[in-house]
Coordinates of all heavy atoms in Angstrom, one line a residue:
M1 N -8.3 5.4 -21.6 CA -7.3 5.1 -20.6 C -7.4 3.6 -20.2 O -8.5 3.2 -19.9 CB -7.5 6.0 -19.4 CG -6.4 5.8 -18.4 SD -6.4 7.1 -17.1 CE -5.9 8.5 -18.2
S2 N -6.3 2.9 -20.2 CA -6.4 1.5 -19.9 C -6.5 1.2 -18.3 O -5.9 2.0 -17.6 CB -5.2 0.8 -20.4 OG -4.0 1.2 -19.9
E3 N -7.2 0.2 -18.0 CA -7.3 -0.2 -16.6 C -6.4 -1.4 -16.4 O -6.3 -2.3 -17.2 CB -8.8 -0.6 -16.3 CG -9.7 0.6 -16.2 CD -11.0 0.2 -15.6 OE1 -11.4 -1.0 -15.6 OE2 -11.8 1.1 -15.2
I4 N -5.9 -1.5 -15.2 CA -5.2 -2.7 -14.7 C -5.9 -3.2 -13.5 O -6.5 -2.5 -12.7 CB -3.7 -2.4 -14.5 CG1 -3.5 -1.2 -13.6 CG2 -3.0 -2.2 -15.9 CD1 -2.0 -0.9 -13.4
N5 N -5.7 -4.5 -13.2 CA -6.4 -5.1 -12.1 C -5.4 -5.8 -11.2 O -4.3 -6.3 -11.6 CB -7.4 -6.1 -12.6 CG -8.4 -5.5 -13.4 OD1 -9.2 -4.7 -12.9 ND2 -8.5 -5.8 -14.7
G6 N -5.7 -5.8 -9.9 CA -4.9 -6.5 -8.9 C -5.8 -6.9 -7.7 O -7.1 -6.7 -7.9
T7 N -5.3 -7.3 -6.6 CA -6.0 -7.6 -5.5 C -5.4 -7.1 -4.2 O -4.1 -7.0 -4.2 CB -6.3 -9.2 -5.3 OG1 -5.0 -9.8 -5.2 CG2 -7.0 -9.7 -6.5
L8 N -6.1 -6.8 -3.2 CA -5.7 -6.6 -1.9 C -6.3 -7.5 -0.9 O -7.5 -7.5 -0.8 CB -6.0 -5.1 -1.4 CG -5.6 -4.8 0.0 CD1 -4.1 -4.8 0.2 CD2 -6.2 -3.5 0.4
N9 N -5.6 -8.4 -0.4 CA -6.1 -9.5 0.5 C -7.2 -10.2 -0.2 O -8.2 -10.6 0.4 CB -6.6 -8.9 1.8 CG -5.5 -8.3 2.6 OD1 -4.3 -8.6 2.4 ND2 -5.8 -7.4 3.5
G10 N -7.1 -10.4 -1.5 CA -8.0 -11.2 -2.3 C -9.2 -10.3 -2.8 O -9.9 -10.8 -3.7
M11 N -9.3 -9.1 -2.4 CA -10.3 -8.2 -2.9 C -9.9 -7.5 -4.2 O -8.8 -7.0 -4.2 CB -10.6 -7.1 -1.8 CG -11.7 -6.1 -2.2 SD -12.0 -4.9 -0.9 CE -10.5 -4.0 -1.0
P12 N -10.7 -7.5 -5.2 CA -10.3 -6.9 -6.5 C -10.0 -5.4 -6.4 O -10.8 -4.7 -5.7 CB -11.5 -7.2 -7.4 CG -12.2 -8.3 -6.8 CD -12.0 -8.2 -5.3
I13 N -9.0 -4.9 -7.0 CA -8.6 -3.5 -7.1 C -8.4 -3.2 -8.5 O -7.7 -3.9 -9.2 CB -7.3 -3.2 -6.3 CG1 -7.4 -3.6 -4.8 CG2 -6.9 -1.8 -6.5 CD1 -8.3 -2.7 -4.0
T14 N -9.0 -2.1 -9.0 CA -8.9 -1.6 -10.3 C -8.1 -0.3 -10.3 O -8.4 0.5 -9.4 CB -10.2 -1.4 -11.0 OG1 -10.9 -2.7 -11.1 CG2 -10.0 -0.9 -12.5
A15 N -7.1 -0.2 -11.1 CA -6.3 1.1 -11.2 C -6.2 1.5 -12.6 O -6.4 0.8 -13.6 CB -5.0 0.8 -10.6
R16 N -5.8 2.8 -12.8 CA -5.5 3.3 -14.1 C -4.0 3.0 -14.3 O -3.2 3.1 -13.4 CB -5.7 4.8 -14.1 CG -7.1 5.2 -14.1 CD -7.3 6.7 -14.4 NE -8.2 7.3 -13.4 CZ -8.3 8.6 -13.2 NH1 -7.5 9.4 -13.8 NH2 -9.1 9.1 -12.3
A17 N -3.7 2.8 -15.6 CA -2.3 2.6 -15.9 C -1.5 3.8 -15.5 O -1.9 4.9 -15.7 CB -2.2 2.3 -17.4
G18 N -0.4 3.5 -14.8 CA 0.5 4.6 -14.4 C 0.3 5.0 -12.9 O 1.0 5.7 -12.4
Q19 N -0.8 4.6 -12.3 CA -1.1 4.9 -11.0 C -0.2 4.2 -10.0 O 0.1 3.0 -10.3 CB -2.6 4.5 -10.6 CG -3.5 5.7 -10.3 CD -4.9 5.3 -10.0 OE1 -5.4 4.2 -10.3 NE2 -5.6 6.2 -9.4
T20 N 0.1 4.8 -8.9 CA 0.9 4.1 -7.9 C -0.1 3.2 -7.1 O -1.3 3.3 -7.2 CB 1.5 5.0 -6.9 OG1 0.5 5.7 -6.2 CG2 2.5 6.0 -7.6
V21 N 0.5 2.2 -6.4 CA -0.3 1.3 -5.6 C -1.1 2.1 -4.6 O -2.3 1.9 -4.3 CB 0.5 0.3 -4.9 CG1 -0.2 -0.5 -3.8 CG2 1.1 -0.7 -5.9
G22 N -0.4 3.1 -3.9 CA -1.1 3.9 -2.9 C -2.3 4.7 -3.5 O -3.4 4.8 -2.9
A23 N -2.1 5.3 -4.7 CA -3.2 6.0 -5.3 C -4.3 5.1 -5.7 O -5.5 5.5 -5.5 CB -2.6 6.7 -6.6
A24 N -4.0 3.9 -6.2 CA -5.1 3.0 -6.5 C -5.9 2.5 -5.3 O -7.1 2.4 -5.3 CB -4.5 1.7 -7.2
L25 N -5.2 2.3 -4.2 CA -5.9 1.9 -2.9 C -6.8 3.1 -2.4 O -7.9 2.8 -2.1 CB -4.9 1.5 -1.9 CG -4.1 0.2 -2.2 CD1 -3.1 0.0 -1.1 CD2 -5.0 -1.0 -2.3
V26 N -6.3 4.3 -2.4 CA -7.1 5.4 -2.0 C -8.3 5.6 -2.9 O -9.4 5.9 -2.4 CB -6.2 6.7 -1.8 CG1 -7.1 7.9 -1.6 CG2 -5.2 6.5 -0.7
A27 N -8.0 5.5 -4.2 CA -9.2 5.7 -5.2 C -10.2 4.6 -4.9 O -11.4 4.8 -5.3 CB -8.6 5.6 -6.6
A28 N -9.8 3.4 -4.4 CA -10.8 2.4 -4.1 C -11.4 2.6 -2.7 O -12.2 1.7 -2.3 CB -10.1 1.0 -4.2
G29 N -11.1 3.7 -2.1 CA -11.7 3.9 -0.8 C -11.0 3.3 0.4 O -11.5 3.3 1.5
I30 N -9.8 2.8 0.2 CA -9.0 2.2 1.2 C -7.9 3.2 1.7 O -7.1 3.6 0.9 CB -8.3 0.9 0.7 CG1 -9.4 -0.1 0.2 CG2 -7.5 0.2 1.8 CD1 -8.9 -1.2 -0.7
T31 N -8.0 3.6 2.9 CA -7.1 4.6 3.4 C -6.0 4.1 4.4 O -5.1 4.8 4.7 CB -7.8 5.8 4.1 OG1 -8.6 5.2 5.1 CG2 -8.7 6.5 3.0
S32 N -6.1 2.9 4.8 CA -5.1 2.3 5.7 C -4.9 0.8 5.3 O -5.9 0.1 5.0 CB -5.4 2.4 7.2 OG -6.5 1.6 7.5
W33 N -3.7 0.3 5.3 CA -3.4 -1.1 4.9 C -2.2 -1.6 5.7 O -1.7 -2.6 5.3 CB -3.2 -1.2 3.4 CG -2.2 -0.2 2.9 CD1 -0.8 -0.3 2.8 CD2 -2.5 1.1 2.2 NE1 -0.3 0.8 2.2 CE2 -1.3 1.7 1.9 CE3 -3.7 1.8 2.0 CZ2 -1.2 2.9 1.3 CZ3 -3.6 3.0 1.4 CH2 -2.4 3.5 1.0
R34 N -1.9 -1.0 6.8 CA -0.8 -1.5 7.7 C -1.2 -1.1 9.1 O -1.9 0.0 9.3 CB 0.5 -0.9 7.3 CG 1.7 -1.3 8.1 CD 3.0 -0.7 7.6 NE 3.2 0.6 8.0 CZ 3.7 1.0 9.2 NH1 4.0 0.1 10.1 NH2 3.9 2.2 9.5
S35 N -0.8 -1.9 10.0 CA -1.0 -1.5 11.5 C 0.4 -1.4 12.1 O 1.3 -2.2 11.8 CB -1.8 -2.6 12.2 OG -3.1 -2.7 11.6
T36 N 0.6 -0.5 13.0 CA 1.8 -0.4 13.7 C 2.1 -1.5 14.7 O 1.1 -2.1 15.2 CB 1.9 1.0 14.5 OG1 0.9 1.0 15.4 CG2 1.8 2.1 13.5
A37 N 3.3 -1.8 14.9 CA 3.7 -3.0 15.7 C 3.3 -2.8 17.2 O 2.8 -3.8 17.8 CB 5.2 -3.2 15.6
K38 N 3.5 -1.7 17.8 CA 3.3 -1.6 19.2 C 1.8 -1.4 19.6 O 1.3 -1.9 20.5 CB 4.2 -0.5 19.8 CG 5.6 -0.8 19.8 CD 6.4 0.3 20.4 CE 7.9 0.0 20.3 NZ 8.7 1.1 20.8
T39 N 1.2 -0.5 18.8 CA -0.2 -0.1 19.2 C -1.2 -0.4 18.2 O -2.4 0.0 18.4 CB -0.2 1.4 19.5 OG1 0.2 2.1 18.3 CG2 0.8 1.8 20.6
S40 N -0.9 -1.1 17.1 CA -1.8 -1.5 16.1 C -2.6 -0.3 15.5 O -3.8 -0.5 15.1 CB -2.8 -2.6 16.6 OG -2.1 -3.7 17.0
R41 N -2.0 0.8 15.4 CA -2.7 2.0 14.8 C -2.6 1.9 13.3 O -1.6 1.4 12.7 CB -2.0 3.3 15.3 CG -2.1 3.4 16.8 CD -1.5 4.6 17.2 NE -2.5 5.7 17.1 CZ -2.5 6.8 17.7 NH1 -1.5 7.1 18.4 NH2 -3.4 7.7 17.5
P42 N -3.7 2.3 12.6 CA -3.7 2.2 11.1 C -2.8 3.2 10.4 O -2.6 4.3 10.9 CB -5.2 2.6 10.8 CG -5.6 3.4 12.0 CD -4.8 3.0 13.2
R43 N -2.2 2.7 9.3 CA -1.3 3.5 8.5 C -1.6 3.3 7.1 O -2.0 2.3 6.6 CB 0.1 3.2 8.8 CG 0.6 3.5 10.2 CD 0.7 5.0 10.4 NE 1.3 5.4 11.6 CZ 0.7 5.7 12.7 NH1 -0.7 5.6 12.7 NH2 1.3 6.0 13.8
G44 N -1.4 4.4 6.3 CA -1.6 4.4 4.8 C -0.7 5.4 4.2 O 0.4 5.6 4.7
L45 N -1.2 6.2 3.3 CA -0.4 7.3 2.7 C -0.3 8.4 3.8 O -1.2 8.8 4.4 CB -1.1 7.9 1.5 CG -1.1 7.0 0.2 CD1 -1.8 7.8 -0.9 CD2 0.3 6.6 -0.2
F46 N 0.9 8.9 3.9 CA 1.2 10.1 4.7 C 1.9 11.2 3.9 O 1.4 12.1 3.5 CB 1.9 9.7 6.0 CG 2.1 10.9 6.9 CD1 1.0 11.5 7.5 CD2 3.4 11.4 7.2 CE1 1.2 12.6 8.4 CE2 3.6 12.5 8.0 CZ 2.5 13.1 8.6
C47 N 3.2 10.9 3.6 CA 3.9 11.9 2.8 C 3.6 11.8 1.3 O 3.6 12.8 0.6 CB 5.5 11.7 3.1 SG 6.2 10.3 2.3
G48 N 3.4 10.6 0.9 CA 3.1 10.4 -0.5 C 4.3 10.5 -1.5 O 4.1 10.4 -2.7
I49 N 5.5 10.6 -0.9 CA 6.6 10.8 -1.8 C 7.8 9.9 -1.4 O 8.9 10.2 -1.7 CB 7.1 12.3 -1.8 CG1 7.4 12.8 -0.3 CG2 6.1 13.2 -2.4 CD1 8.1 14.1 -0.2
G50 N 7.5 8.8 -0.7 CA 8.6 7.8 -0.4 C 9.5 8.1 0.7 O 10.5 7.5 0.8
V51 N 9.1 9.0 1.6 CA 10.0 9.4 2.7 C 9.6 8.8 4.0 O 10.5 8.3 4.8 CB 10.0 10.9 2.8 CG1 10.9 11.4 4.0 CG2 10.6 11.6 1.5
C52 N 8.3 8.7 4.4 CA 8.0 8.3 5.7 C 7.8 6.8 6.0 O 7.8 6.4 7.2 CB 6.6 9.0 6.1 SG 5.2 8.3 5.3
F53 N 7.6 6.1 5.0 CA 7.5 4.6 5.1 C 6.2 4.2 5.8 O 6.1 3.0 6.3 CB 8.7 4.0 5.8 CG 9.9 3.9 4.9 CD1 10.7 5.1 4.7 CD2 10.3 2.8 4.3 CE1 11.8 5.1 3.8 CE2 11.5 2.8 3.4 CZ 12.2 4.0 3.2
D54 N 5.3 5.1 6.0 CA 4.0 4.7 6.6 C 3.2 3.8 5.7 O 2.3 3.1 6.2 CB 3.2 5.9 6.9 CG 3.4 6.4 8.3 OD1 4.2 5.8 9.1 OD2 2.7 7.4 8.7
C55 N 3.4 3.8 4.4 CA 2.5 3.1 3.4 C 3.0 1.7 3.1 O 2.6 1.2 2.0 CB 2.5 4.0 2.2 SG 4.0 4.1 1.3
L56 N 3.8 1.1 3.9 CA 4.4 -0.2 3.5 C 3.3 -1.2 3.3 O 2.3 -1.3 4.0 CB 5.3 -0.7 4.6 CG 6.6 0.2 4.8 CD1 7.4 -0.4 6.0 CD2 7.4 0.3 3.6
V57 N 3.5 -2.0 2.3 CA 2.6 -3.1 1.8 C 3.4 -4.3 1.3 O 4.5 -4.1 0.9 CB 1.6 -2.5 0.8 CG1 2.3 -2.2 -0.5 CG2 0.4 -3.5 0.6
T58 N 2.8 -5.4 1.4 CA 3.4 -6.6 0.7 C 2.9 -6.7 -0.7 O 1.7 -6.7 -0.9 CB 3.1 -7.9 1.5 OG1 3.7 -7.8 2.8 CG2 3.7 -9.1 0.8
A59 N 3.8 -6.7 -1.7 CA 3.4 -6.7 -3.1 C 4.0 -7.9 -3.8 O 5.3 -8.1 -3.8 CB 3.9 -5.4 -3.8
D60 N 3.2 -8.8 -4.3 CA 3.7 -10.0 -5.0 C 4.6 -10.8 -4.1 O 5.7 -11.3 -4.5 CB 4.3 -9.7 -6.3 CG 3.3 -9.1 -7.3 OD1 2.1 -9.5 -7.2 OD2 3.7 -8.4 -8.2
G61 N 4.3 -10.8 -2.8 CA 5.1 -11.6 -1.8 C 6.3 -10.9 -1.3 O 7.0 -11.5 -0.4
V62 N 6.6 -9.7 -1.7 CA 7.7 -9.0 -1.2 C 7.2 -8.0 -0.2 O 6.5 -7.1 -0.5 CB 8.5 -8.3 -2.4 CG1 9.7 -7.5 -1.8 CG2 8.9 -9.2 -3.4
P63 N 7.6 -8.1 1.1 CA 7.1 -7.2 2.1 C 7.8 -5.9 2.1 O 8.9 -5.7 1.5 CB 7.5 -8.0 3.4 CG 8.6 -8.8 3.1 CD 8.5 -9.2 1.6
N64 N 7.2 -5.0 2.8 CA 7.8 -3.6 3.1 C 8.1 -2.8 1.8 O 9.1 -2.2 1.7 CB 9.1 -3.8 3.9 CG 8.9 -4.5 5.2 OD1 7.8 -4.4 5.8 ND2 9.8 -5.3 5.7
Q65 N 7.1 -2.8 0.9 CA 7.2 -2.0 -0.3 C 6.4 -0.7 -0.1 O 5.3 -0.7 0.5 CB 6.7 -2.8 -1.5 CG 7.3 -4.1 -1.8 CD 8.8 -4.0 -2.1 OE1 9.2 -3.3 -3.0 NE2 9.7 -4.5 -1.2
R66 N 7.0 0.4 -0.5 CA 6.3 1.7 -0.4 C 5.2 1.8 -1.4 O 5.5 1.9 -2.6 CB 7.3 2.8 -0.4 CG 8.2 2.9 0.8 CD 9.3 3.9 0.6 NE 10.2 3.4 -0.5 CZ 11.1 4.1 -1.0 NH1 11.4 5.3 -0.6 NH2 11.9 3.6 -2.0
A67 N 4.0 1.8 -1.0 CA 2.9 1.9 -1.9 C 2.8 3.2 -2.7 O 2.4 3.2 -3.8 CB 1.5 1.7 -1.2
C68 N 3.3 4.2 -2.1 CA 3.3 5.6 -2.7 C 4.3 5.7 -3.9 O 4.2 6.6 -4.7 CB 3.5 6.7 -1.7 SG 5.1 6.8 -1.1
A69 N 5.3 4.8 -3.8 CA 6.4 4.9 -4.8 C 6.5 3.8 -5.8 O 7.4 3.7 -6.6 CB 7.7 5.0 -4.0
M70 N 5.4 2.9 -5.7 CA 5.5 1.7 -6.6 C 4.3 1.7 -7.6 O 3.1 1.9 -7.2 CB 5.3 0.5 -5.6 CG 5.3 -0.8 -6.3 SD 5.3 -2.2 -5.1 CE 4.1 -1.7 -3.9
P71 N 4.6 1.6 -8.9 CA 3.5 1.6 -9.8 C 2.7 0.3 -9.7 O 3.2 -0.7 -9.5 CB 4.2 1.7 -11.2 CG 5.6 1.8 -10.9 CD 5.9 1.6 -9.5
M72 N 1.4 0.5 -9.9 CA 0.5 -0.7 -9.9 C 0.7 -1.5 -11.2 O 0.9 -0.9 -12.2 CB -0.9 -0.2 -9.8 CG -2.0 -1.2 -9.6 SD -2.1 -1.8 -7.9 CE -3.3 -3.1 -8.2
R73 N 0.8 -2.8 -11.1 CA 1.0 -3.6 -12.2 C -0.2 -4.6 -12.4 O -0.8 -4.9 -11.4 CB 2.3 -4.5 -12.1 CG 3.6 -3.6 -12.1 CD 4.8 -4.5 -12.0 NE 4.9 -5.4 -10.9 CZ 5.4 -5.1 -9.7 NH1 6.0 -3.9 -9.5 NH2 5.4 -5.9 -8.7
D74 N -0.5 -4.9 -13.6 CA -1.6 -5.8 -13.8 C -1.4 -7.1 -13.2 O -0.3 -7.7 -13.3 CB -1.8 -6.0 -15.3 CG -3.2 -6.5 -15.6 OD1 -4.2 -6.1 -14.9 OD2 -3.4 -7.3 -16.6
G75 N -2.3 -7.6 -12.4 CA -2.2 -8.9 -11.8 C -1.5 -8.8 -10.4 O -1.2 -9.9 -9.8
M76 N -1.2 -7.7 -9.9 CA -0.5 -7.5 -8.7 C -1.3 -8.0 -7.5 O -2.5 -7.8 -7.4 CB -0.2 -6.0 -8.5 CG 0.9 -5.7 -7.5 SD 1.3 -3.9 -7.6 CE 3.1 -4.1 -7.6
V77 N -0.6 -8.8 -6.7 CA -1.2 -9.3 -5.5 C -0.7 -8.5 -4.3 O 0.5 -8.6 -3.9 CB -0.9 -10.8 -5.3 CG1 -1.5 -11.4 -4.0 CG2 -1.5 -11.6 -6.5
L78 N -1.5 -7.8 -3.6 CA -1.2 -7.0 -2.5 C -1.7 -7.6 -1.2 O -2.8 -8.1 -1.2 CB -1.7 -5.5 -2.6 CG -1.3 -4.8 -3.9 CD1 -2.1 -3.6 -4.1 CD2 0.2 -4.5 -3.9
E79 N -1.0 -7.4 -0.1 CA -1.4 -7.9 1.2 C -1.1 -6.8 2.2 O 0.0 -6.2 2.2 CB -0.7 -9.2 1.5 CG -1.0 -10.3 0.6 CD 0.0 -11.5 0.8 OE1 -0.3 -12.3 1.6 OE2 1.1 -11.5 0.1
T80 N -2.0 -6.7 3.1 CA -1.8 -5.7 4.2 C -0.8 -6.3 5.2 O -0.6 -7.5 5.2 CB -3.1 -5.5 5.0 OG1 -3.7 -6.7 5.4 CG2 -4.1 -4.8 4.1
G81 N -0.2 -5.4 5.9 CA 0.8 -5.9 6.9 C 0.5 -5.4 8.3 O -0.3 -4.6 8.5
M82 N 1.3 -5.9 9.2 CA 1.2 -5.5 10.5 C 2.5 -5.3 11.1 O 3.3 -6.3 11.3 CB 0.4 -6.5 11.4 CG 0.2 -6.0 12.8 SD -1.2 -6.7 13.6 CE -1.0 -5.9 15.2
G83 N 2.9 -4.1 11.4 CA 4.1 -3.8 12.2 C 5.4 -4.1 11.5 O 6.4 -4.4 12.2
E84 N 5.4 -4.1 10.2 CA 6.7 -4.3 9.6 C 7.7 -3.2 10.0 O 8.9 -3.4 10.0 CB 6.6 -4.3 8.1 CG 5.9 -5.5 7.5 CD 4.5 -5.2 7.3 OE1 3.9 -4.2 7.8 OE2 3.8 -5.9 6.5
R85 N 7.2 -2.0 10.2 CA 8.1 -0.9 10.6 C 7.9 -0.6 12.1 O 6.7 -0.5 12.5 CB 7.7 0.3 9.8 CG 8.6 1.5 10.1 CD 8.3 2.6 9.1 NE 9.2 3.7 9.4 CZ 8.8 4.9 9.9 NH1 7.5 5.1 10.1 NH2 9.6 5.9 10.1
P86 N 8.9 -0.5 12.9 CA 8.7 -0.2 14.3 C 8.0 1.2 14.5 O 8.2 2.1 13.7 CB 10.1 -0.1 14.9 CG 11.0 -0.7 13.9 CD 10.3 -0.6 12.5
D87 N 7.2 1.3 15.5 CA 6.5 2.6 15.8 C 7.6 3.6 16.0 O 8.6 3.4 16.6 CB 5.7 2.5 17.0 CG 4.5 1.6 16.8 OD1 4.1 1.5 15.7 OD2 3.9 1.2 17.8
A88 N 7.3 4.8 15.5 CA 8.2 5.9 15.6 C 7.9 6.6 16.9 O 6.9 6.5 17.5 CB 8.1 6.9 14.5
Ligands
FES101 S1 3.4 7.6 2.2 FE1 5.3 8.2 3.0 S2 6.7 6.7 2.1 FE2 4.8 6.3 1.2

């Protein structure tokens, strides 16, 4: 099985080909990568199917991407975000 590599805030992340960004982050032991705007509460995967928008991440400079619905690509540069989505 081939491996692909990327980074989260400069930290190396290794994923299996076909894995979503969210799956790769959780497999790396990272369970939150966004903070809510009002209360700075941690967010990561919740629904896992692209519905809740809790898993937003900046990918290759594009903010507000759903980590659970986006395949990991080799060389992908991920950045954590803060409050891109208003608190519900
Ligand atoms: S975890 Fe719900 S949209 Fe990604």
Side-chain angles (χ1 to χ4, degrees):
M1 182 165 295
S2 63
E3 285 189 346
I4 52 179
N5 299 294
T7 60
L8 175 68
N9 297 338
M11 179 179 70
I13 300 289
T14 300
R16 290 190 225 165
Q19 242 178 346
T20 65
V21 168
L25 293 176
V26 170
I30 301 164
T31 56
S32 70
W33 49 85
R34 181 177 78 84
S35 299
T36 59
K38 291 182 183 172
T39 58
S40 297
R41 300 182 81 162
R43 293 290 185 266
L45 288 183
F46 184 65
C47 73
I49 57 172
V51 175
C52 74
F53 288 76
D54 265 2
C55 64
L56 297 179
V57 66
T58 297
D60 293 331
V62 181
N64 301 329
Q65 302 299 300
R66 289 172 294 173
C68 71
M70 179 174 45
M72 188 80 185
R73 295 184 299 271
D74 199 36
M76 194 170 227
V77 176
L78 303 167
E79 298 166 86
T80 55
M82 179 158 183
E84 291 95 343
R85 179 175 185 246
D87 288 340

